[in-house]
Amino acid sequence: MTGDQHAAKAAEPSCPACGEIVYAGEVFCEECGHRLADAPPAEPPPRPDATIKQSSQPARRPASAGPCTGCSGTAIDADGYCESCGLRQPAERDHIEFEIPASGAGAGAGAGNGTRPVVAAGASDRGRRYSRNEDAIAIAVHSAGVAAVVSDGVGSSQRPDDASRAAAETGAAELVARLDSGEDPEAATRAAAVQAAAAVAALATSPADAPSCTYVSAVTRGTAVTVGWIGDSRAYWLSADGAVEPGEGEAPDPGEQVPDEQVPDEEVSTGDMAELGPSRRLTDDDSWAAFMVAEGSLTEAEAEAHPNAHVITAWLGADAGEVSPHVASFRPAGPGTLLVCSDGLWNYFPAAGDLAALLAAPGGAGHDPAADPLGAARTLVRHALDAGGRDNITVAVIPLPSPAAPQSRIHESTTQSTEQPR
């Protein structure tokens, strides 16, 4: 991001109470509920900093919840806003962090809760613009590895937060069940995506009420990786040696002609269990921009600058038609990190080289995913927030080879999650 872009962001109007960016025509701040025409309160309400783990039920404020954190009023509406002062109350999914420790593993470097190696970690944040988190994440261990699903609710649909949660939790559970039964990872990935699509479609109450979302899954099994996706949530491979595949380092200059073999958005090639060497993106977006680039109608820079750039061409939902997930399998040539994320991260850092650079930042600003998967997830979320945080941000980090191997084998199919301080 250029200095000019940072300057433009800094100049945008902000809420006098909490400092978040606001937009022309808005009466209330989406972040804290402050009426924008009013003077700042004597003590601006801080953003909740609690970290929680994602439960299996849709995020709804229970009827027995306490009084407003701002004025102590008791009238809280269904969307979580105080009817007396307008303050938005803390929500379960505002910020989520968790680790997945290896079941039965001994102590060692990168241990979860100080006792077991961490085989994966996840983080999700609602960002700075939206009043709720419409992303969802589910990570689970199976008999021979890890399964992760990230889903991003489509904001123009009804109840996108319910859609993403249904997709993530259904997809992860189906993956684990099928993989534990011995099913091939590619077949399990396809079936899990179709089952997730059915779960989202079942949420619809009418043609006008059809919750929808994107979907991306990643499975490790032994030394192999399988990814599946529908929409524009992504999976990346980040090589531990820092090498980056040509075309994955930086976005090309709009006026520069990029050789065909270096076009970042060319179709993913899996071949016969394609080898993963340097860092690269593993998925192709189902989006208008990707379609225009694939057709040769626009360059990547031209497509990304178009207002329709992020219009998705495939999704999960009752109005999505027949679901046909993309599936690809790979075999890493060396150690690295499998990263699964929503567009709240990759909109700011689209290339694998961008993401690898964030984690390799000097001076302690980065985190080694193999040693600290949760620290790596936090680092990426923080960078997306610092870059603007205009969307929900969700990240799953899976180091390979697993910290649990070869000393121990992951043997329980469970979604162990531990609360961590932010």
Side-chain angles (χ1 to χ4, degrees):
M1 186 171 294
T2 67
D4 289 343
Q5 287 173 309
H6 279 297
K9 288 182 182 301
E12 290 176 329
S14 61
C15 172
C18 69
E20 293 299 327
I21 295 171
V22 296
Y23 296 82
E26 292 183 332
V27 177
F28 293 94
C29 173
E30 290 286 347
E31 174 71 18
C32 70
H34 181 75
R35 184 183 292 274
L36 298 175
D38 295 345
E43 295 184 2
R47 177 178 175 177
D49 201 33
T51 296
I52 50 85
K53 58 185 178 183
Q54 188 162 323
S55 72
S56 60
Q57 298 299 319
R60 292 285 184 265
R61 182 178 173 85
S64 59
C68 171
T69 57
C71 71
S72 299
T74 57
I76 309 298
D77 67 19
D79 292 323
Y81 287 87
C82 174
E83 295 182 354
S84 298
C85 70
L87 180 66
R88 179 185 180 277
Q89 305 303 296
E92 179 195 11
R93 288 166 72 172
D94 281 359
H95 187 86
I96 298 165
E97 294 179 355
F98 58 91
E99 294 176 324
I100 306 296
S103 300
N113 292 332
T115 58
R116 292 177 292 177
V118 174
V119 296
S124 184
D125 192 279
R126 79 169 190 264
R128 301 188 184 281
R129 173 67 180 90
Y130 290 101
S131 60
R132 64 182 176 184
N133 191 351
E134 297 170 358
D135 284 0
I137 180 173
I139 307 178
V141 294
H142 60 89
S143 59
V146 178
V149 178
V150 166
S151 180
D152 181 355
V154 176
S156 59
S157 71
Q158 299 296 312
R159 296 179 286 126
D161 51 333
D162 289 349
S164 62
R165 187 186 288 266
E169 294 185 347
T170 301
E174 191 73 10
L175 278 169
V176 167
R178 289 177 176 274
L179 292 166
D180 280 348
S181 71
E183 190 166 321
D184 171 79
E186 290 199 355
T189 294
R190 288 191 181 91
V194 170
Q195 194 68 24
V200 175
L203 296 175
T205 59
S206 70
D209 175 31
S212 58
C213 60
T214 67
Y215 178 96
V216 60
S217 69
V219 168
T220 65
R221 187 171 190 177
T223 58
V225 170
T226 298
V227 296
W229 70 98
I230 302 161
D232 64 352
S233 292
R234 294 181 175 182
Y236 291 84
W237 169 251
L238 305 182
S239 175
D241 63 9
V244 178
E245 191 165 281
E248 282 282 357
E250 296 180 356
D253 185 278
E256 179 183 357
Q257 291 297 317
V258 182
D260 290 342
E261 67 273 14
Q262 294 187 9
V263 175
D265 278 335
E266 64 179 320
E267 185 176 353
V268 169
S269 173
T270 62
D272 182 15
M273 192 68 72
E275 183 177 277
L276 286 179
S279 299
R280 59 174 289 191
R281 174 151 58 97
L282 304 181
T283 56
D284 287 323
D285 300 339
D286 288 315
S287 68
W288 181 91
F291 176 80
M292 297 304 287
V293 172
E295 289 288 299
S297 301
L298 296 174
T299 66
E300 183 183 7
E302 290 169 340
E304 287 297 331
H306 195 279
N308 291 338
H310 296 288
V311 172
I312 57 175
T313 56
W315 60 92
L316 304 187
D319 58 351
E322 183 178 356
V323 173
S324 180
H326 309 278
V327 178
S329 291
F330 308 88
R331 190 175 300 280
T337 300
L338 186 57
L339 174 68
V340 188
C341 65
S342 65
D343 63 354
L345 175 65
W346 71 252
N347 273 339
Y348 293 108
F349 311 102
D354 298 335
L355 297 164
L358 296 179
L359 296 178
H367 270 84
D368 177 8
D372 184 6
L374 181 57
R378 286 173 174 166
T379 295
L380 294 172
V381 169
R382 186 185 70 246
H383 279 291
L385 289 169
D386 290 345
R390 296 208 177 184
D391 201 350
N392 308 143
I393 308 150
T394 301
V395 180
V397 174
I398 307 171
L400 291 171
S402 169
Q407 293 85 356
S408 61
R409 177 182 176 85
I410 301 170
H411 61 78
E412 290 184 30
S413 298
T414 177
T415 53
Q416 295 168 302
S417 301
T418 55
E419 298 183 14
Q420 297 290 331
R422 185 173 179 183

